[in-house]
Amino acid sequence: MSSIHISLGMIVLLVGLALAFDFMNGFHDAANSIATVVSTGVLKPHQAVAFAAFFNVVAISIFQLKVAATIGKGTIDPAIVDHVVVFGALVGAIAWNVITWYYGIPSSSSHALIGGLVGAALIKSGPQSLIASGLWKTIAFIFISPLLGYILGSIMTLIVGWTFFHTPARKVDKWFHRLQLFSASLYSLGHGGNDAQKTIGIIWMLLIAAGMSDPHGSVPIWVVACCYVAIGMGTLFGGWRIVRTMGQKITKLKPVGGFCAETGGAMTLFLATAMGIPVSTTHTITGAIVGVGSTRRFSAVRWGVAGGIVWAWILTIPGTALISAAAWWVGSRIL
């Protein structure tokens, strides 16, 4: 792919915008990591966000950058990428995150970014600019990740129920108060490992387009470090509107339920990240929470709330694509 001329000032501006998205990703999705430990009383809110932020950043030492490669080179044709495409994608994703955060809707920052890339690429170069294999894989996991979370959360709940069937409830709660710290750390690792890489991917895409990075080489280490720190800082500031929806409105959780939901969700995130698939941590933990709640009784899940969240999932990619297409049109005239 031949490089295009992008001024250093524009690159700095867009990298800053990407890191702002990454920060908002952590801010918006903090609820995914901490809602269960807060709602079950295992950690106080300020403790939980610091705990989750730490493990978001620690993920830098655990996961390979396969998700970053999918975003950077496997979603839209790298040949059509320029500063306006990146601008449109980021503005669309950030705008969608602000809207859904304001209304307390746990939508997907991941799919907002995918939708942003799709919208900007479509308006610039048409459908041929999309890489079908990467997009279909991501779209498939809109359904697979919550289903896996649901199944694994349910299985974990059944295993724990059978294992501790004759153990007094008070003792079980005491043990799982501690074990939930372990499961929350796993989920926060998965959150940081999958979500930070999406911003790494879009910055890498920009640097490749500008001729500042080799598409066949490795991602610059400063990009990786900045993105992991940014998502950790976003988590540290938290997104309390969404915490309440995730932690209490879908179903009521006890420490044992929180442990099962987080463990099932973390297993799903680890698998997807190892496969290089950008998934929604929101979808995953919601599926796991619903799975845990439904093992008690079907009515334990507030299906109306869960249904509203599903509608947000469905609308995220097309909604963000529309916003990013408009942002690309504006950017093509002012940048």
Side-chain angles (χ1 to χ4, degrees), residues 55 57-65 185-186 189-190 193 197 228 270 273:
F55 284 101
V57 177
V58 167
I60 193 173
S61 63
I62 295 175
F63 297 102
Q64 294 181 317
L65 298 177
S185 68
L186 289 180
L189 281 171
Q197 289 194 40
Y228 274 100
F270 276 56
T273 305

Side-chain angles (χ1 to χ4, degrees), residues 43-278:
L43 290 176
K44 294 178 180 178
H46 67 279
Q47 295 172 325
V49 290
F51 181 86
F54 173 77
F55 284 101
N56 279 174
V57 177
V58 167
I60 193 173
S61 63
I62 295 175
F63 297 102
Q64 294 181 317
L65 298 177
K66 293 183 178 180
V67 174
T70 298
I71 293 291
K73 297 185 289 185
T75 305
I76 63 174
D77 182 0
I80 66 104
V81 174
D82 59 14
H83 59 293
V84 184
V85 169
V86 173
F87 172 80
L90 288 171
V91 169
I94 289 171
W96 187 263
N97 272 357
V98 170
I99 293 167
T100 52
W101 168 82
Y102 181 80
Y103 289 104
I105 301 169
S107 68
S108 168
S109 297
S110 310
H111 295 141
L113 184 58
I114 296 292
L117 288 168
V118 167
L122 280 175
I123 194 172
K124 180 182 179 181
S125 301
Q128 68 273 14
S129 63
L130 306 181
I131 299 176
S133 59
L135 286 174
W136 281 119
K137 184 166 61 174
T138 302
I139 291 169
F141 265 76
I142 292 177
F143 306 98
I144 293 171
S145 65
L147 181 61
L148 267 179
Y150 178 94
I151 292 170
L152 293 171
S154 301
I155 290 172
M156 288 297 302
T157 305
L158 293 174
I159 290 173
V160 169
W162 292 333
T163 304
F164 296 96
F165 183 74
H166 296 294
T167 307
R170 184 176 296 179
K171 185 175 290 188
V172 171
D173 275 350
K174 182 178 179 181
W175 287 346
F176 279 92
H177 253 83
R178 297 168 184 167
L179 285 172
Q180 206 184 345
L181 292 175
F182 173 71
S183 62
S185 68
L186 289 180
Y187 197 83
S188 295
L189 281 171
H191 173 222
N194 201 280
D195 277 17
Q197 289 194 40
K198 293 149 191 171
T199 307
I200 293 171
I202 200 164
I203 294 177
W204 193 23
M205 177 188 292
L206 174 67
L207 296 178
I208 290 171
M212 298 177 67
S213 183
D214 181 359
H216 305 293
S218 57
V219 185
I221 190 64
W222 68 265
V223 175
V224 179
C226 286
C227 289
Y228 274 100
V229 170
I231 199 169
M233 292 299 293
T235 298
L236 191 62
F237 282 85
W240 304 115
R241 290 173 184 267
I242 300 171
V243 167
R244 186 163 172 264
T245 299
M246 299 297 293
Q248 292 293 337
K249 284 190 177 180
I250 297 174
T251 189
K252 299 291 184 181
L253 291 175
K254 292 184 177 181
V256 63
F259 171 84
C260 294
E262 288 161 352
T263 304
M267 291 166 68
T268 303
L269 292 181
F270 276 56
L271 175 64
T273 305
M275 295 171 65
I277 301 172

